[in-house]
Amino acid sequence: MFIDLLSFHPVVLALLATGFTWFCTAFGAGFVFFFRTVPRPVFNAMLGFASGIMIAASFWSLLLPSIELSENVGQPAWFHVSLGFLSGGLSLFALHKLLPHLHVGLEENRLEGGKSSFQRSLLLILAITLHNIPEGLAVGVAFGALGDGFTYEALMAAVVVAFGIGIQNIPEGAAVSIPLLREGYSAKKSFWYGQLSGFVEPIGGLLGAALVFYVASILPFALSFAAGAMIFVVVEELIPESHTGKETEMSTLGAMFGFVLMMALDVGLG
């Protein structure tokens, strides 16, 4: 299996991997055919779980390799990694200010971004789509890094990133489709728009993989950039939305288990 994968171009592998993460989003969106609502403790745990996976992936799969790569070529790791991390976070900050979107997990359904006459349902889709941009970029950068050393170990590290992002995309897909059902959409339309929110991941994956593959010198910066973008999403969106209602302990436990799962995958297989 892995011999066959090693024969593929890294950019093609990135497309396949982000196709998998998109499928996971669609799988989560498919919950709408079985559930009309998600109990608040379960919803909080799902979002917390996604947060834990993204935090662990940001460090073990992105920041740590970025530091090691910078040190191996004699670069000041603290500077390049810090610059990339802040650039990723500030880029997502700018998108959040420009694009209107809805924080559906919050009790007041807070509207953020630029002024808009869009329907609530479209604002909801835009919110989850914003989540998926850095996730696709992270997977793409991980596979694009194979151009710097196409080995079994490097391949497994990239596969772990894609697998972890895919797992946490399942609750995100459900977080779009089920609220759309409550907005009056049919189950089929809710599923369609839920899976569509993950479409940006293959796009981000292709861009990230191609960029670091053909311009290998920016790899440390690209890895930390993706990490910063994901951490911004976690702190700005997922954690606040997971701490609603009275069952906030479930979000904390979910985050702990998500972090441990991603860390175990990365350390054990990466």
Side-chain angles (χ1 to χ4, degrees):
M1 174 182 177
F2 292 110
I3 295 176
D4 293 335
L5 287 178
L6 287 169
S7 67
F8 283 87
H9 192 282
V11 177
V12 175
L13 288 176
L15 179 60
L16 293 174
T18 48
F20 164 75
T21 61
W22 183 13
F23 169 80
C24 290
T25 303
F27 179 79
F31 287 7
V32 75
F33 294 112
F34 306 98
F35 306 99
R36 291 193 61 86
T37 186
V38 177
R40 174 53 62 179
V42 176
F43 187 77
N44 286 353
M46 289 165 60
L47 291 179
F49 184 76
S51 300
I53 286 182
M54 291 181 70
I55 292 171
S58 295
F59 177 73
W60 296 102
S61 302
L62 299 172
L63 285 176
L64 188 59
S66 176
I67 293 170
E68 292 173 347
L69 285 169
S70 295
E71 291 176 342
N72 289 340
V73 296
Q75 296 177 350
W78 68 269
F79 176 77
H80 289 91
V81 173
S82 299
L83 179 63
F85 185 87
L86 290 175
S87 297
L90 290 174
S91 295
L92 261 291
F93 174 79
L95 282 177
H96 273 245
K97 286 296 184 182
L98 292 173
L99 295 180
H101 58 285
L102 193 67
H103 285 250
V104 294
L106 302 179
E107 293 179 359
E108 68 272 21
N109 289 329
R110 188 176 73 236
L111 174 65
E112 290 189 349
K115 294 182 179 180
S116 174
S117 60
F118 292 161
Q119 294 181 339
R120 283 166 44 87
S121 55
L122 181 55
L123 294 172
L124 166 60
I125 296 168
L126 284 174
I128 303 299
T129 300
L130 282 173
H131 291 189
N132 290 331
I133 292 174
E135 295 165 11
L137 180 63
V139 175
V141 168
F143 278 93
L146 296 176
D148 193 51
F150 210 142
T151 63
Y152 170 81
E153 291 76 15
L155 175 61
M156 284 304 302
V159 168
V160 166
V161 175
F163 184 69
I165 295 298
I167 291 175
Q168 66 92 36
N169 274 355
I170 295 174
E172 284 193 353
V176 176
S177 62
I178 292 177
L180 287 179
L181 189 66
R182 295 200 301 267
E183 291 286 325
Y185 283 74
S186 67
K188 288 183 178 179
K189 282 190 175 181
S190 298
F191 168 76
W192 170 254
Y193 288 119
Q195 64 81 31
L196 194 63
S197 68
F199 178 70
V200 294
E201 291 201 7
I203 297 175
L206 280 176
L207 291 175
L211 187 61
V212 300
F213 181 82
Y214 293 108
V215 190
S217 60
I218 69 166
L219 180 55
F221 176 86
L223 287 168
S224 56
F225 181 96
M230 288 212 299
I231 291 297
F232 179 89
V233 168
V234 170
V235 177
E236 170 68 13
E237 303 271 355
L238 295 181
I239 291 178
E241 291 173 8
S242 71
H243 280 76
T244 55
K246 299 180 180 179
E247 299 86 2
T248 57
E249 295 88 354
M250 296 303 298
S251 61
T252 303
L253 291 174
M256 296 291 290
F257 280 105
F259 185 94
V260 168
L261 173 62
M262 189 64 197
M263 179 180 64
L265 288 172
D266 207 307
V267 175
L269 300 177

